Amino acid sequence: MAESWSFLDAFEPNFRPLVVIELAKGTKEETIKWFTKRIVDKKANGGAQLLVKPLVTESGDENIYLIGASHLRLLLGAETVGLVKECNDNSMRTFTYSSRKTFKDFADDNHNFLTMAECQYIIKHELENLRAKDEKMIPGYPQAKLYPGKSIVRRLLTSGILVQIFPLHDREELKKLRQSWYGRVKVGYQPLDEIRCYFGETIALYFGFLEYFTFALIPMAVIGIPYYVFAWEDYDKYVMFATFNLLWSTVILEVWKRICAIMTFRWGTLLMKRQFEEPRSGFHGVLGINPVTGREEPVYSSIKRQIRIYLVSLPFVCLCLYFSLYVMMIYFDLEQWALDYHEENESNFSNLMLFVPSIIYAVVIEIMNRIYRYAAEFLTSWENHRLESSYQNHLILKVLVFNFLNCFASLFYIAFVLFDMKLLRQSLATLLITSQILNQFAESLLPYWLQKRHKKRMKKRICSLKTDTDLSLVEQVNLEKEMGTYFGTFDDYLELFLQFGYVSLFSCVYPLAAVFAVLNNITEIYSDALKMCRVYKRPFAEPTANIGVWQLAFETMSVISVVTNCILIGMSPQVNALFPDAKMDLILTVALVEHLLLAIKFIMAFVIPDKPRDIQIKLARLEFESLEALKQQQMKLAAESLKE
Amino acid sequence: MAESWSFLDAFEPNFRPLVVIELAKGTKEETIKWFTKRIVDKKANGGAQLLVKPLVTESGDENIYLIGASHLRLLLGAETVGLVKECNDNSMRTFTYSSRKTFKDFADDNHNFLTMAECQYIIKHELENLRAKDEKMIPGYPQAKLYPGKSIVRRLLTSGILVQIFPLHDREELKKLRQSWYGRVKVGYQPLDEIRCYFGETIALYFGFLEYFTFALIPMAVIGIPYYVFAWEDYDKYVMFATFNLLWSTVILEVWKRICAIMTFRWGTLLMKRQFEEPRSGFHGVLGINPVTGREEPVYSSIKRQIRIYLVSLPFVCLCLYFSLYVMMIYFDLEQWALDYHEENESNFSNLMLFVPSIIYAVVIEIMNRIYRYAAEFLTSWENHRLESSYQNHLILKVLVFNFLNCFASLFYIAFVLFDMKLLRQSLATLLITSQILNQFAESLLPYWLQKRHKKRMKKRICSLKTDTDLSLVEQVNLEKEMGTYFGTFDDYLELFLQFGYVSLFSCVYPLAAVFAVLNNITEIYSDALKMCRVYKRPFAEPTANIGVWQLAFETMSVISVVTNCILIGMSPQVNALFPDAKMDLILTVALVEHLLLAIKFIMAFVIPDKPRDIQIKLARLEFESLEALKQQQMKLAAESLKE
């Protein structure tokens, strides 16, 4: 079992495991042989030209393989995925093997030119692009059909032969990162560049956004505190606070785009060309010709998908939203009933009964959320999107709308139907604080504790075996493969999005929300960092240039909050007192102010450039250079043609 | 004088004049020699490698030169400017000389592969890119400074040595085009592809938009007619009409993007890479290093420009807007005074006096418009924008805002301050119809008549001279150089924009506006066509992929019209009658409906894709092909590297 299939083994004595592949127990020998051969095979033969080593475990019945690659192979892979790196003259350029000498820190013996996360991303990319040639099925599994060009790894995953594929942690690097990230209590920025080196751009960008957002909330929090301390209730102060909040939220979202551009330019992802996206693994259809590539692949009619989206998914989502509103109405009825009951027969039991509706409602919301999430995933998958990105966008949209309603519908009801500002403030505070505490607990601390317990048990078991193989590596792989999988930044962004809603939607009623948000986010940074470093498997790095659809979601929220805040101010007794007998004038004034604020928001979003000037200049310079190079080439050609 | 400087003359016996250059009378011989030498000089020596021929005129004291180019030179130029042409396999590709055989209709002896407009555009591009090498000034004119890289033609233009440079008409082609465009009365589409071949994409796109917009208005017009015929006054019908209008205007603007994409894809401009923009001719600054190109050129601090924009231009525009409103208020006072006077002493004179305020106001508005236009051009020029496009955008914005206010402020005042719907309808109709008639007259028919008179006189003069040179060419050049210059599509779009305002802003008050707009636009197409073909100098073709900032302007107008229409409906007595004692409910309902409509608008704009699916697929295929080509290249390289 200790044999290795790598043809390059002789040249690469120091095999460095980067990625782990776990095959199902009892996978046929024939299949393993074929798969590993394809992995190590030469590029020219349609292989990935990587290195493979089986991991020898104590029991011996597990099919775990370590994947690595030669330094040269990784450099060529970096060119294939289109990595952008810094050059000696401090400009950012797409890496090519032939121009490797011009890049900063490049040396033929410097194996740290590519970060480990980049190497793992390259290997993942190469594995996923391992495509079937003339195989009609996976050898040994006739039911797992293949067709020319189908990604082998994706078929192995969907047919259950490949259990998982994940990148290994680098224990030393991780220790260093932990140290500088949350090891010591300090005031300062997160080591975003180091996070990016270790976890990749998507995760670094999330932490960057979290940090930025926390800083951006501080002015709101600072201004909000005196409202609480001095119990200010003058309407003009509230109007000022709300106006500041609304304009401020526009500014911070625009400025984030600029900061994001600065970061992703430094990381090279701003310049990275979009690769052609292959169909996602769940995509199915009849075999046809892809009109873009001209290759054979499953095709699925776009009209059918539109029909599914608009005739099934959309009505279903609307129904769910309606149902959620219905449940909310029952909750308010129950609440009223409990209150009446308590008033009629005051007792300890009736006192307890007061809490029952809230508890039931909280439980029901949680259940509905879970069921809906499951349904949304099923529906979006059934819509059969060809691309992972389009799948993600449709899923995010569905979940976002439902969560928005679930979180804020009761607040809207209290504010705009019951007109009870005191209850609104109270509910807002309760919802915000409890959700923050629950999240922190459920998201990081609980898994961390479970993970720690599991680790201890594992360690004991492995130590008791006392084999003579490389214990630490076996131990590490076995530990990490049991760790939970981090499913992307979706839930983290969702949490921030809802928090932004709590802070901005009713900011003129509860100025203290920003304070709680800031406090939460400071601990959130630490608990999320803990989660990434200790609780979950290392995720594959994913290059990205922005936070994508979340930017739009946050901007939409800030538009909605203009409307809600204007209405709230218009409803406040202080403002009403200003227009004693002219309700109409009041409403017209509020509407006018709202439209003005919206207009200012849009003009501000239009006027503030999305990229800082120096980034714009750098991008323009790169474009200019490539145009010049083209022109030079043409000039040469022209001169030759005219000479003839 | 009949000598020609072209070194290629021997190979190109059939010199075809494409572009005319007129130098100032009395330009020094030294300058002419130098300039023409630079034009004909080889590319390698920094020349443009074009052909030049002086035009021998009757008087002989005019410095008019004809510019042409060899077929080969034009093909190479097409590559330089990045023209996109159709290939034999019906795909659109950037033209390169080396791949010329793969393009549709290409043959070495087919001189019609490039349209005349394209040839002229190429020559213009080459002339403008004729750059100073080590000259410190224009020979013979020490005050006309040059620095390395400065466009010679632009310096010649700004220093007045070069009077004008314009492309020649092709009389036969023009005749054919006129015939199919407006020669016979017919129902059908305009020959947009032929217009594009003759006048270029910018102008063809304007006529395409005009035609599309006219068709798009027909449903509104058709629905609007019964309102007038049956004198419908039910509020529900008005609400329906307004709602239809608002959603319809969103749809047509979104669909236009798709149609525009289809057209510009067919024309190749959708795929054309943006060229690096050189500074506009009026740009000045201290000599420095351009951070993008690294070349020496005048640089001007962006902060200074921002200061000029926000601290001078913006306040000035606001002041002008205020002044315009002030004048409007005086007009309403005058009107009231005239009415009072008429009521007091009814006489013929007082009857006449009733018209005086309107006449004065119309005249004052016209004067203000002209002065403001002049001031806006001066200010925008003073803001010292580096790029022509940025200059244009700032100018358009300034002029747009002022024109919007001038046209619609009085209507807003009548609608929302005086609450006089009858007067509003009357003013709207008067303004719309008179402005349309005046525009048609002033824009096309008057210049056409002047032009015709001038032409007759010219013909007489030339015939009386009876020289032996190529009379028709001399005559043509002399005729065309005296023709007015077409300053771009700005005024044409502005007219359509204001018309769109009349139709949509108060559509629920005056449903007949769309009918007048349709009628006007049908004649507008003919009068604009006449203007382009008979009145003005042929303009240089300008490749463009969309209608640019006008799309945004039309969309903004349609957002504003949602607000105005909702308010108008809310104010109508029929709707008021529905809420007899609950004014507040009425206003709240109107506000709710307005927000809903706005939300639907934004969602629709988001959901309707900007490009039709087949164009998306074609674009994706091109992108995929270039990625594949790159990958192939890398694979080859990788295979070689791994072999070593």
Side-chain angles (χ1 to χ4, degrees), chain A residues 624-634:
Chain A
F624 174 75
E625 277 173 13
S626 76
L627 279 175
E628 277 300 289
L630 205 74
K631 217 183 270 174
Q632 287 297 327
Q633 213 179 331
Q634 285 169 359

Side-chain angles (χ1 to χ4, degrees), chain B residues 339-357:
Chain B
L339 219 69
D340 291 349
Y341 182 85
H342 177 68
E343 263 168 30
E344 268 173 40
N345 25 356
E346 232 165 299
S347 66
N348 276 344
F349 175 71
S350 76
N351 223 336
L352 245 161
M353 279 296 281
L354 274 179
F355 291 97
V356 173

Side-chain angles (χ1 to χ4, degrees), chain A residues 8 43-44 49 70 72-73 76 79-81 95-98 125 129 273-276 278 291-295 300 302 305 310 552 563 583-585 587-588 591 594-595 598 602 606-607 613 616-618 620-625 627-628 630-631 634-635 637-639 641-642, chain B residues 8 43-44 49 70 72-73 76 79-81 95-98 125 129 273-276 278 291-295 300 302 305 310 552 563 583-585 587-588 591 594-595 598 602 606-607 613 616-618 620-625 627-628 631 633-635 637-639 641-642:
Chain A
L8 268 170
K43 266 273 176 195
Q49 216 156 342
S70 70
L72 178 60
R73 181 74 196 80
L76 292 168
E79 183 171 343
T80 312
V81 299
F95 178 79
T96 62
Y97 186 71
S98 53
H125 180 266
N129 276 288
K273 293 267 181 318
R274 207 166 51 85
Q275 299 276 323
F276 179 77
E278 297 294 333
V292 174
T293 61
R295 289 184 194 152
Y300 187 75
S302 149
R305 186 179 307 126
Y310 289 109
L552 189 70
V563 182
K583 282 268 178 221
M584 255 186 62
D585 288 355
I587 299 176
L588 289 178
E594 187 225 332
H595 282 83
L598 283 176
F602 282 108
F606 187 76
V607 166
R613 230 186 114 69
Q616 278 177 30
I617 286 176
K618 280 174 186 163
R621 183 156 52 198
L622 281 174
E623 207 189 319
F624 174 75
E625 277 173 13
L627 279 175
E628 277 300 289
L630 205 74
K631 217 183 270 174
Q634 285 169 359
M635 289 267 279
L637 204 88
S641 303
L642 283 174
Chain B
L8 268 169
K43 266 274 178 196
Q49 216 156 346
S70 70
L72 177 60
R73 181 72 195 82
L76 292 169
E79 184 172 342
T80 312
V81 299
F95 178 80
T96 62
Y97 186 72
S98 53
H125 180 266
N129 275 288
K273 294 270 181 315
R274 209 166 50 83
Q275 300 276 323
F276 179 77
E278 297 294 331
V292 173
T293 60
R295 289 185 195 150
Y300 187 75
S302 148
R305 186 179 305 124
Y310 289 108
L552 189 71
V563 182
K583 282 267 180 223
M584 255 187 62
D585 287 355
I587 299 175
L588 289 178
E594 186 225 331
H595 281 83
L598 282 177
F602 282 108
F606 187 75
V607 166
R613 228 188 116 66
Q616 279 176 32
I617 287 176
K618 280 175 187 163
R621 184 157 50 198
L622 281 174
E623 206 189 320
F624 173 75
E625 277 172 14
L627 280 175
E628 278 301 290
K631 217 184 268 175
Q633 212 181 330
Q634 285 168 0
M635 288 267 279
L637 203 89
S641 304
L642 282 174

Side-chain angles (χ1 to χ4, degrees), chain B residues 411-421 424 505-506 563-565 567-568 571:
Chain B
L411 297 176
F412 274 86
Y413 186 79
I414 294 170
F416 305 126
V417 180
L418 302 181
F419 298 116
D420 189 341
M421 289 307 119
L424 176 63
L505 282 179
F506 307 98
V563 182
T564 53
N565 277 297
I567 302 178
L568 282 178
M571 279 172 15

Side-chain angles (χ1 to χ4, degrees), chain A residues 366-512:
Chain A
E366 192 54 36
I367 294 172
M368 283 195 331
N369 250 337
R370 278 172 197 274
I371 295 177
Y372 179 81
R373 182 72 168 267
Y374 184 79
E377 274 171 21
F378 173 79
L379 269 181
T380 319
S381 170
W382 178 72
E383 282 162 20
N384 202 11
H385 294 275
R386 189 178 163 277
L387 300 182
E388 185 65 29
S389 57
S390 135
Y391 170 84
Q392 286 295 342
N393 286 345
H394 279 260
L395 181 61
I396 289 180
L397 191 66
K398 286 197 188 73
V399 176
L400 217 56
V401 171
F402 192 73
N403 270 280
F404 181 84
L405 206 78
N406 259 349
C407 275
F408 301 119
S410 63
L411 296 177
F412 274 86
Y413 187 80
I414 294 171
F416 305 126
V417 180
L418 302 182
F419 300 115
D420 190 341
M421 289 308 120
K422 219 167 169 179
L423 183 60
L424 176 62
R425 196 172 300 182
Q426 193 185 316
S427 306
L428 188 61
T430 319
L431 272 172
L432 177 65
I433 295 166
T434 49
S435 78
Q436 287 184 348
I437 291 172
L438 278 178
N439 263 323
Q440 298 252 350
F441 181 73
E443 221 184 53
S444 313
L445 300 179
L446 183 69
Y448 177 63
W449 178 72
L450 289 173
Q451 175 60 27
K452 216 161 184 179
R453 225 180 45 165
H454 176 76
K455 205 168 162 183
K456 259 190 199 148
R457 228 184 300 152
M458 277 294 282
K459 243 184 184 149
K460 253 187 216 158
R461 208 175 52 152
I462 290 172
C463 285
S464 68
L465 280 168
K466 284 199 179 86
T467 55
D468 56 342
T469 48
D470 182 356
L471 185 74
S472 86
L473 185 65
V474 172
E475 180 195 0
Q476 188 192 348
V477 171
N478 273 307
L479 265 178
E480 288 185 14
K481 91 181 167 69
E482 299 295 328
M483 279 169 134
T485 307
Y486 179 68
F487 285 114
T489 47
F490 181 87
D491 288 299
D492 297 318
Y493 278 117
L494 184 62
E495 203 186 322
L496 277 186
F497 172 75
L498 296 177
Q499 185 191 70
F500 184 58
Y502 287 122
V503 172
S504 62
L505 282 179
F506 308 97
S507 67
C508 59
V509 169
Y510 190 52
L512 219 56

Side-chain angles (χ1 to χ4, degrees), chain B residues 5 7 21 30-52 67 73 126-139 146-153 156:
Chain B
W5 285 280
F7 82 106
I21 282 182
E30 167 191 16
T31 316
I32 298 174
K33 270 247 164 80
W34 167 78
F35 184 43
T36 44
K37 182 166 182 315
R38 287 299 302 267
I39 294 176
V40 299
D41 219 353
K42 283 190 184 166
K43 266 274 178 196
N45 301 342
Q49 216 156 346
L50 301 171
L51 310 172
V52 175
I67 313 271
R73 181 72 195 82
E126 293 295 340
L127 283 178
E128 281 186 346
N129 275 288
L130 206 55
R131 287 169 193 293
K133 289 181 294 186
D134 38 11
E135 296 100 333
K136 288 270 168 287
M137 45 154 220
I138 285 174
L146 287 176
Y147 50 87
K150 172 71 187 175
S151 163
I152 290 172
V153 168
L156 284 171

